[in-house]
Amino acid sequence: MSSTSSRRPLALVTGASAGIGYEFAQLLAINGFDLIATGRSEHTDQAATDLARHGTDLARHGTDVIPVRADLAQPEGVETVWRAVEEAGRPLDAAVLNAGRSIGGAFLDTDLDDELSLIQLNVASVVHLAKHVARHMAGNGRGRILITSSVSATLPTPYETVYGPSRAFTRMFALGLREELKEHGVSVTCLMPGATDSNFHARAGMNNTAFGPSMKKNSRKDVARQGFLALMNGHAEVVGGNAATKRTAIEHRFLPETYKAARHACKAKPRP
Ligand SMILES: NC(=O)c1ccc[n+]([C@@H]2O[C@H](COP(=O)([O-])OP(=O)(O)OC[C@H]3O[C@@H](n4cnc5c(N)ncnc54)[C@H](OP(=O)(O)O)[C@@H]3O)[C@@H](O)[C@H]2O)c1
């Protein structure tokens, strides 16, 4: 998977072992990037092997993919990932801070430690990793960062009450950092997917809600493609998904938070 020194650009993708992050990593590989591809599960190594093969088949030259298994809900996991970047001994050209998760269910029932761990992953690890990435890229005078948020950043999300605010944090963090890093030659892009066909809702324990398997969701390939184009063009933010998803995000600018909360509760409340 990893080989000799390469002259190709290098990208870091967190959450590259599955879902949107895997598709994102594949697009980067096809477009000539070597990769540091992170995940938490044992599937991370297999995903890296697949990414190396895809990149090589489609770009017709060898793609180096370094897999890193680390739990980003732990500060040590973030340091493990950053060590892998430093050990690569090359400038990091792109960073996709994408790993994240939700927790479905009534707040009265959900587990506090699990929710604190979600905040650690969705919020603290993004700040922690961005600190390393931003200093590294600003030092090089160039780089592109994409931070995954969500359409859930634009409304209260009852029955996944901690998740939406965590993504609202990442959205405003990305947009603030973008402004600061402009003068250092580094662009920051925020990706806001709508509901997307990945393991995300099943992992959140939301199969018994309207977000379960029967919901028609956005294609993760389309979401990743839109994010990739926004990253490469240095756009501030992009809503990932189809026309209806993009319309919803616009509509959310004008609707009262209380109305949006009630509407989300109808979809996210577990069915008996
Ligand atoms: N799917 C949606 O509907 C949707 C909508 C809006 C925003 N998003 C955002 O999109 C991002 C990607 O989600 P997805 O849909 O691709 O979900 P997914 O298919 O569940 O993939 C999540 C990725 O994050 C990794 N991850 C999860 N917990 C981790 C931890 N503690 N430490 C390190 N890595 C961890 C997973 O690694 P392993 O598989 O190896 O455990 C996996 O690679 C998330 O930030 C999510 O908030 C998703």
Side-chain angles (χ1 to χ4, degrees), residues 13-32:
V13 182
T14 69
S17 57
I20 297 167
Y22 178 83
E23 301 299 335
F24 216 114
Q26 200 180 99
L27 283 168
L28 285 160
I30 291 166
N31 284 278

Side-chain angles (χ1 to χ4, degrees), residues 223-242:
V223 169
R225 194 174 327 109
Q226 291 170 15
F228 177 77
L229 289 174
L231 174 70
M232 288 303 142
N233 289 310
H235 293 163
E237 59 183 345
V238 61
V239 173
N242 59 20

Side-chain angles (χ1 to χ4, degrees), residues 134-265:
R135 285 180 173 161
H136 172 91
M137 287 182 175
N140 295 335
R142 67 187 165 92
R144 298 174 189 282
I145 300 172
L146 181 136
I147 296 179
T148 304
S149 169
S150 170
V151 170
S152 291
T154 65
L155 74 161
T157 56
Y159 298 101
E160 40 177 354
T161 298
V162 179
Y163 173 70
S166 78
R167 298 291 73 163
F169 178 94
T170 40
R171 180 181 181 209
M172 288 304 159
F173 176 70
L175 294 174
L177 190 59
R178 172 185 176 82
E179 189 57 31
E180 282 194 43
L181 294 186
K182 258 183 194 167
E183 65 185 89
H184 298 281
V186 179
S187 74
V188 182
T189 298
C190 176
L191 170 62
M192 300 166 69
T196 302
D197 64 348
S198 71
N199 293 328
F200 177 79
H201 291 107
R203 284 185 201 226
M206 296 180 73
N207 275 349
N208 60 343
T209 72
F211 291 98
S214 57
M215 180 186 248
K216 189 160 168 31
K217 296 180 185 169
N218 291 293
S219 143
R220 56 185 181 271
K221 280 193 187 298
D222 289 349
V223 169
R225 194 174 327 109
Q226 291 170 15
F228 177 77
L229 289 174
L231 174 70
M232 288 303 142
N233 289 310
H235 293 163
E237 59 183 345
V238 61
V239 173
N242 59 20
T245 298
K246 291 178 196 292
R247 263 197 313 276
T248 300
I250 293 170
E251 187 185 82
H252 280 182
R253 293 185 203 155
F254 307 105
L255 289 172
E257 305 304 325
T258 46
Y259 175 83
K260 290 183 286 185
R263 196 164 71 170
H264 189 82

